[in-house]
Amino acid sequence: MSSLLLWPLLLTLLTMEPSGAALVRVELRRAHLQQGIPNPLRAWAESTEPSRLGPPPKGDNPFLVPLSKFMNVQYFGEIGLGTPPQNFSVVFDTGSSNLWVPSKRCHFFSVPCWFHHRYDPKASSSFRPNGTKFAIQYGTGRLSGILSEDKLNIGGISNASVTFGEALWEPSLVFAFASFDGIFGLGFPTLAVDRVPPPLDVLVEQGLLEKPIFSFYLNRDFAGADGGELVLGGADPAHYIPPLTFVPVTVPAYWQIHMERVKVGTGLTLCAQGCAAIVDTGTSLITGPSEEIRALHRAIGGLPWLAGEHFILCSKIPTLPPVSFLLGGVWFNLTAQDYVIQISQGGFRFCLSGFHALDMPPPAGPLWILGDVFLGAYVAVFDRGSTSSGARVGLARARVPEAEPGGGGTAQAQFSD
C-alpha cells in the first residue's frame, strides 16, 4: 500500500533525547509551477538541480538537509549517496521503508531515468556491489532493479553505510513527471522489501542518530520557497503550539493509529464507530472510504472534476465548514484554508478539495489516510518507541512562520517515557 494516490499523483500509500543531543534537520523549499502550464503533471517534467549538501555544523547545532515542495502537495529533499556524494531529491515517505534512486545503469527505455539524477557506482569509491534483485509496487507506479551498498549523507550525518535500491526499470510514467528522483522510506522494518534495513534503523544502529524519532513540519504558505523541515532525532518546539497529543500506533508497519470520529461542521459525522487511519507523508491528500468522502464533498460543496478530484468555488472558502478529526481524545480541526488547495497561475485562481475517495479492501482497510493536507496544519512526531514503550505519533498545531520570529533555532522538545 505504501504509496497511494497523489494530486494528481499520490505516492503512497518519546523517550527523547538528553539536552545536549543534536537534531538533524531537513529544510523544505518550494518548486514553482511553470508559467502557462494548465496541467500540473506537465510541470513535473522539469527537474531542478538539487542544492549541494553543506558541511556538518559544529558542536550541538542542528544539521540541515534541504527539502522542497511542489504546489503544497509534494514535499521532497536532498540526500547524498557515495564518495564523493552524488545528490538526489527524495520523498521522505512514512508509508514505505526502502531507499531507492534511479541508476546510471537503468534500461534505455526506462523513461523516468532520463528526467532525473542517476546514481553512478563507478563514480563512488565507497560503492559495494550487492546485486540482489528487488521490485516495489506502489499505488500509482512500480519499479525494479538491484540492491547496492554505499555511504549515505543526510543533514550533515555522513558515511552511514546503507543498502539501497538502484532503479533499473521504471515502466510507470508517473515517475517521469515527478519532481523527485527517488524515495526515502521512513516506515517500519516490516514494510521493507527484501528485508533491507530501513535507513532510519541504520542511522540508529551505527550510532549516528540517538533515537528512532523524527518529525515533520510542512509549510503550507504558497509565498516563498520554504517548504518546512524534517527533523531527525526529535522535534523542534518552534514548529508547533504545545502540547503534543500522542496516539499509540496500532499496527507497526505503516504509521497506523485509531481515529475516533470525523465531523464536518455540526451536521455530518463520519467514521462514527471509530476507524483506522494512517499518518502518511508520502500521500498528498486526505483520503477516506468513497461513500464517506462523497458525503463530505456534498457538505463542503465539492464539484466533481477529473480523476475523482473535486474543485471548490474559491469565493466560498470563507463560508465552508471546518472538518475535524478526533484523535487521542482531542479534536484536530482543519479550516477551509487548510483543506482547500489554492492554485494561482498567470492571474488565474483555481481551488481543489484536499479530500479524495480511496477504498482499501480488508484486511488493510477500510481506513483513512492523513496525508500532507493534514500534516500542513499539524506537526507530527513519529516515535518508534523502545523495548519499554510502544510506537506512537504525536500531533500539535503547526505555528505560522511569520508569527514566530527567531524560529528554527536549536531548541529541542523534551519528552518523557
Side-chain angles (χ1 to χ4, degrees), residues 255 307 329 334 401:
W255 290 88
L334 297 183

Side-chain angles (χ1 to χ4, degrees), residues 7-135:
W7 179 81
L9 161 73
L10 264 168
L11 277 180
T12 29
L13 158 149
L14 276 167
T15 59
M16 296 266 194
E17 62 264 15
S19 58
L23 300 181
V24 180
R25 299 172 184 268
V26 179
E27 292 182 347
L28 304 174
R29 55 176 174 28
R30 181 191 304 278
H32 292 283
L33 276 174
Q34 300 295 318
Q35 189 71 20
I37 299 177
N39 183 349
L41 273 176
R42 293 176 58 192
W44 290 351
E46 290 292 331
S47 63
T48 57
E49 182 68 23
S51 60
R52 307 303 295 177
L53 296 176
K58 299 185 182 300
D60 290 334
N61 293 328
F63 299 97
L64 300 178
V65 181
L67 296 180
S68 303
K69 66 178 177 178
F70 177 78
M71 292 177 58
N72 281 355
V73 294
Q74 193 180 106
Y75 292 81
F76 46 93
E78 277 73 53
I79 63 169
L81 286 171
T83 306
Q86 301 172 43
N87 294 333
F88 301 91
S89 292
V90 295
V91 167
F92 291 93
D93 176 25
T94 58
S96 63
S97 298
N98 289 82
L99 167 61
W100 66 266
V101 296
S103 174
K104 192 79 170 180
R105 300 180 282 183
C106 66
H107 194 287
F108 179 81
F109 293 105
S110 184
V111 176
C113 283
W114 305 108
F115 288 96
H116 295 92
H117 301 90
R118 293 173 288 164
Y119 170 78
D120 184 359
K122 294 181 179 179
S124 173
S125 61
S126 52
F127 163 74
R128 297 292 180 270
N130 180 300
T132 302
K133 295 181 179 180
F134 82 96

Side-chain angles (χ1 to χ4, degrees), residues 39 67 86 105 107 152 203 242 253 293 315 338 361 370 389:
N39 183 349
L67 296 180
Q86 301 172 43
R105 300 180 282 183
H107 194 287
L152 167 68
L203 295 178
I293 295 297
S315 61
D338 296 322
L370 305 180
S389 62

